[in-house]
Every structure is written in C-alpha cells, then in structure tokens.
Amino acid sequence: MAIEFTKYHGLGNDFILIDNRSSSVTVVTPEQAIKLCDRHFGIGADGVIFALPGEDGTDYTMRIFNSDGSEPEMCGNGIRCLAGFLADLEGESRNKDLYRIHTLGGVMTPQLLFDGQVKVDMGLPRLLAGEIPTNLTPNEEKVINQPLEVAGQTWDVTCVNMGNPHCITFVEDVAAIELESIGPKFEHHSAFPQRINTEFIQVVRRDYLKMRVWERGAGITLACGTGACAALVAGVLTGNCDRTATVELPGGPLQIEWSEVDQRVYMTGPAERVFTGKL
C-alpha cells in the first residue's frame, strides 16, 4: 500500500507527517520509522508523526515515533507541524484555526495565527519529582537546583515535565558544551528511570535565553519546543528569567510565556512544509 507523507520542520526540528485519520493503528511501525528517519538511506527526520482520529472529544490524536523508534509522550515543535499538516489536509473545508489534539502527554491546543506562526497552549508544567519522573528528590517535592553528578562534574539541575520530561541546567556558555558526549550521559542517567531530555541554557538577558538540547530518542536537534517551555519555567523557578522570554535555539527563536493568570505555558513559533512524497 502506497503511503503519502509530507515533510515539515519547526526551526530545523524535522518530521515526516502521515495522514492516519482512517485508523487508530499507525500505518508505519517503529522499526520502519527508524529507516524512514535515516538521513542517508531514508527520507531523513527527527521523527515520524501520525494524525489519527480524535479521542475523548478531541479533534485528532497525535502519535510520534522518534528516529530511534521510541515513542515520546508528545513534541512541541512536532505539534506545530501537525497543526499545519492538518490545515493542509482539511483544505477549503477547514472552518477553524484552533485544534484540540489528544497526546500521550495530555490534550494540547495549537492555534494557527494569521502570520503563519502557530501558538500552542502547552498546559500546566508538572514540577514534582514523581511527575518527571526522577529520584533526585522525594516524589512529592520539586527538583530545583539539585546537584547531579554527570561525567565527573556536578551540575545544578531543575526538572520540569511539559508533556515529556526535561532536565535543565544553566551554564555560562552553551557553545562550549560538548553536547555529543555529555548528552547521552544525562539521557541514560540512573536518576531518570524513563530517560530524560536535557537542556543547557545560557542567560543573555532576563527576557532572552540561548539553548542547546539533547533529546531523548533523537540526540542533538536544532530545536525542541517542550524543552524551550521547560527552560523558561526552570528559569523562573531559579530566578534566572522573566515569565515571558525569547528562547534562541540553533534553528531559530521561540516565544515562550508562563502565564501568571492561568499558570499555563504558551509557545509560539513557525511550522514550515518542506515537500511531499509517497512511500
């Protein structure tokens, strides 16, 4: 059976999007996703995203397989790309600019803006150790500036779950981090039983952060939406930044707000179609 796909990227974090609305079973297996994501022998991507039928009153369901075949709870850049993909699929029949998307990390609501950007209500950050999960503190406590030894060095880390788990550490110069060697050691550290995404953050100003990321299941990526959200939350918790800031990633900037009114986190950024094809 031929499978049509569309390649999208959000600030260089790229995905293969597949219309899976006719079935709740993905048309591609995790093993096949690994091959599709291969940048030499496949299409090349950080993950494969499926648009499935909605659950529990939502418009659609999102599932994603990382480039290593693992399945994360959700993906911030990916859900912006999914919103653009759904708008393409609906075409002239589209009658709204906001979708309610069911994910393993909860219901997310991306909104297509008039300037081509996508704003996503990422929900409430989960801050307790048991919600990350991590054993750095007791389950009912927050993980803020906790010492963590990795590769013979002690890092002060703050943990935030934004639909998937993140470990954030603030550094003087993100460019100096040897991400390829240190990233896997964070991801597979015994403190994180379900592995972890890790963000290294440089505070340029209270409203401007620079970030590099090692993503669980994907490695070094040019951008991570949930990671940018987690970084801002961690920055507020540690007194490093304001509640609204630009987070500069290698692929470009995201606008992040942790609302004082409803305590929800909002992410705004682009989603760009690259090309379409058939498998």
Side-chain angles (χ1 to χ4, degrees):
M1 179 182 69
I3 301 172
E4 295 182 350
F5 70 90
T6 302
K7 177 82 175 281
Y8 265 84
H9 80 87
L11 300 179
N13 195 191
D14 56 344
F15 304 95
I16 299 162
L17 279 294
I18 294 177
D19 181 2
N20 211 126
R21 294 175 296 171
S22 62
S23 172
S24 59
V25 178
T26 62
V27 295
V28 168
T29 67
E31 293 74 22
Q32 291 170 325
I34 294 172
K35 295 179 180 179
L36 293 176
C37 289
D38 190 290
R39 297 191 183 278
H40 299 288
F41 298 101
I43 298 167
D46 291 321
V48 180
I49 295 175
F50 305 88
L52 294 96
E55 299 179 27
D56 302 325
T58 58
D59 298 308
Y60 299 100
T61 294
M62 170 186 180
R63 287 187 66 187
I64 175 171
F65 295 148
N66 284 325
S67 57
D68 71 347
S70 61
E71 182 173 6
E73 294 84 352
M74 65 91 58
C75 173
N77 286 318
I79 201 164
R80 295 201 317 277
C81 292
L82 178 60
F85 180 59
L86 291 171
D88 287 344
L89 290 178
E90 293 177 352
E92 294 182 359
S93 66
R94 180 165 68 92
N95 58 12
K96 59 183 176 180
D97 295 320
L98 186 143
Y99 296 106
R100 295 184 71 250
I101 308 295
H102 181 275
T103 78
L104 295 178
V107 176
M108 304 293 166
T109 54
Q111 180 181 10
L112 299 162
L113 304 181
F114 68 92
D115 60 356
Q117 300 274 298
V118 181
K119 182 176 182 178
V120 185
D121 176 355
M122 299 290 288
L124 299 171
R126 286 175 279 174
L127 305 175
L128 302 183
E131 297 174 319
I132 303 302
T134 178
N135 56 34
L136 283 171
T137 65
N139 281 347
E140 67 279 3
E141 294 183 8
K142 297 177 181 178
V143 184
I144 302 174
N145 275 341
Q146 287 291 316
L148 176 68
E149 186 173 331
V150 181
Q153 180 177 346
T154 299
W155 309 74
D156 289 332
V157 302
T158 299
C159 295
V160 180
N161 191 313
M162 286 301 315
N164 48 28
H166 294 272
C167 171
I168 301 95
T169 185
F170 292 87
V171 299
E172 290 294 322
D173 181 10
V174 291
I177 298 297
E178 296 180 356
L179 194 54
E180 189 168 359
S181 62
I182 196 69
K185 294 174 182 176
F186 271 90
E187 178 182 355
H188 296 281
H189 197 284
S190 59
F192 307 108
Q194 295 181 17
R195 298 190 292 163
I196 199 77
N197 300 280
T198 307
E199 287 75 35
F200 299 87
I201 308 298
Q202 176 182 339
V203 181
V204 180
R205 299 188 309 268
R206 291 190 60 82
D207 65 348
Y208 187 85
L209 309 176
K210 283 188 176 181
M211 168 179 147
R212 292 179 68 199
V213 58
W214 178 271
E215 288 201 53
R216 178 186 61 168
I220 296 174
T221 60
L222 294 176
C224 176
T226 58
C229 294
L232 181 124
V233 170
V236 173
L237 293 174
T238 56
N240 281 303
C241 74
D242 298 333
R243 296 184 76 97
T244 299
T246 297
V247 180
E248 183 76 32
L249 304 109
L254 289 172
Q255 306 303 316
I256 310 296
E257 176 192 3
W258 187 12
S259 172
E260 255 184 313
V261 177
D262 59 15
Q263 299 300 308
R264 301 175 78 84
V265 180
Y266 296 89
M267 170 189 64
T268 302
E272 299 186 29
R273 183 173 63 249
V274 183
F275 60 84
T276 62
K278 185 177 293 186
L279 302 175

